[in-house]
Amino acid sequence: MKRTTIDFWVGLFALMGAAALLFLALKVSNQGALPASSTYTLTANFENIGGLKVRAPVKSAGVVVGRVTAIELDTERYMARVTMALDEQYRFSRDSSAEILTSGLLGEQYVGIASGADDKTLGSGDSFKITSSAIVLEQIISRFLFSKAAGDDNTTMEK
Amino acid sequence: MPDLLVDFEHVSFAYDDKAILQDISLQIRRGQLVAIMGGSGSGKTTLLRLIGGQLLPDAGAVRVAGSNTRELSEAALYQLRTRMGMLFQFGALFTDLSVYDNVAFPLRERTDLPESVIRDLVLMKLQAVGLRGAATLMPHELSGGMARRVALARAIALDPQLMLYDEPFTGLDPISLATIGTLIRELNDALGTASVIVTHDVAESLALVDYIYFLADGRIIAAGTPDEVRASPHPFVAQFINGRPDGPVPFHKPAAPYLRELGLEP
Amino acid sequence: MGNRFVRLCQSIGAPLTARIIKLGFACRFLLGILRHSPAAFARPQLLAREIWFAGVLSILIITVSGLFVGMVLALQGYDTLQRFGASSSLGILVALSLVRELGPVVGALLFASRAGSAITAEIGLMKATEQLSAMEMMAVNPMARVIAPKFWGGVISMPLLAAMFSATGIFGGYLIGVPLLGLDEGSFWSQMQGAVDFRLDVMNGVIKSVFFGCAIALIAAFEGYDAPPTAEGISTATTRTVVTSALVVLALDFVLTAFMFRGV
């Protein structure tokens, strides 16, 4: 095998490998978390975060504006503190609210931000004043069942 | 340049616990063509590897061109090997390189010569073994004798001071055998090298060499010039030279008495 | 009783000691390769030949297998997903399984049997025909001239081949999903892109395949170097390369996966 032939094939091999990686990078995957330089941090306290995970998206009006970077338990108030990194170009008023929503009935959970009307905006490190927790399906179901059961009991008692 | 090229001083060597060589002392000088003879498994090839520094002695000292192989660093050992050439039993040509590239290999790897000079040197070496016409062939296209001649050209590419031959006559037809034998003698005299031939080919080497060491069970049991060896009264040497099946090296491997094993005797 | 215990210990101990000795030799061998690697990288031609040998010659088997694995994944996945009305997630299923697991692992298994066995056979044959020894006697270190380039040729080829496997696999999944099963092309790609993270999924897959490449190349070169210089020795060594590589790749995959995707 001549050297130029080998070089040709090895070059082609490298090109194919690079093309495959590029395909995986551009067509198959997203670049994930926004670059650290152009983000600012906000926190929100929730009574219950349900199944929210680190790296879950933060959306406002359905548009992804950031990612959840950390979730921890505040042991003073026993609430979950969710830290998120938001894109620098999106600013939210100080009376915005954060809630934990589910995409679809059984889809992944994300943080939704509904903007308020205040002129002043939240800066880095600030936290949302108004939050609403995740809807936990089991609680809803059990509440429904309990009320139903209580109603049934009442009717039997009456009889 | 020291005249004494190989100097073994009470050398012993063992693989694991199996002793291969015991208390070997021998000297090989410049211009000498020395044969090491002995039966299969007598430690002949090990002795060559000790000279090449591929193995190190367990006891005693191996000095090659004045330096003790045990005391050399890896780099110094490789430097020493540029002054040695070795012909392997079946040539050991690189199967993926042509004859030309095989001979050019040590020159390309160990020298900074320009390609035009390398070309001249390769053709010279191939001419010396009579195979300049085979330069473009691949090793699998060569006969056994030709492969060994190419390997010889490759071994002398760096103009060594010490040539080592591992069984150079094995498996050759009489013509090739005579060719290799003549080449070894001529190269030795023309280049002024010392040569060590490990062989069990009696007739060919007695006609060729200056001095012979006999090796049996890892020890040197006899040594001398071809004439001394022919006249040797030593029973092993006599058996070896004349090729008798039975003697100090028995025909039968030690076993229980024959008749008893057949059940004819209690 | 005591005697029998001693014999039991010996029967367990002797092969174990032999294995440990072999492992120690392999570690020394790896250090030798690393020590001579600068010399190998100083000569790109040698490296190019080995990348050709290990990588280029494996392209066909890798891409064809990738294509079929992707197509099968799509067929099987569609069958399961549509029961839950989630057939539009087919792209996610195909891409994630290929990029995270199947690309690196199946790619490595194929690589071990195609290139690993060839490396073992070539080194083993060079040893059996005394070519390595001859090289040593020509004052050329076979570690730097033969073994280290072969090792790095394998290490470099593996991640590229794994990426090709994943890429052709995803393409195979697309072929089945969109033209054949009639999924929407836009949602196939966009859902996939939304769910696959470059750093977390693609890069972790690449990192895995680098580890697998190192393991396979080391096992292959070592088995060849350690093989008894006989025809039987080389054939056993070749088999051992494939078997050991497969086991090591799967074990390593478990360890790496546990590290990478823990708690995410």
Side-chain angles (χ1 to χ4, degrees), chain A residues 1 10 25-26 28-30 32 55, chain C residues 48 52 192-194 196-198:
Chain A
M1 185 68 63
V10 171
L26 299 181
V28 173
S29 68
N30 61 73
R55 299 189 41 71
Chain C
W52 175 76
M192 182 195 293
Q193 203 166 24
V196 181
D197 185 83
F198 181 71

Side-chain angles (χ1 to χ4, degrees), chain A residues 106-144:
Chain A
L106 298 165
E108 64 167 355
Q109 287 187 304
Y110 64 94
V111 178
I113 299 175
S115 195
D118 203 320
D119 289 340
K120 292 184 180 145
T121 55
L122 290 163
S124 188
D126 286 352
S127 73
F128 289 97
K129 299 280 179 311
I130 312 161
T131 62
S132 68
S133 289
I135 297 167
V136 179
L137 208 58
E138 297 94 308
Q139 288 179 354
I140 295 172
I141 292 171
S142 61
R143 211 176 295 158
F144 171 74

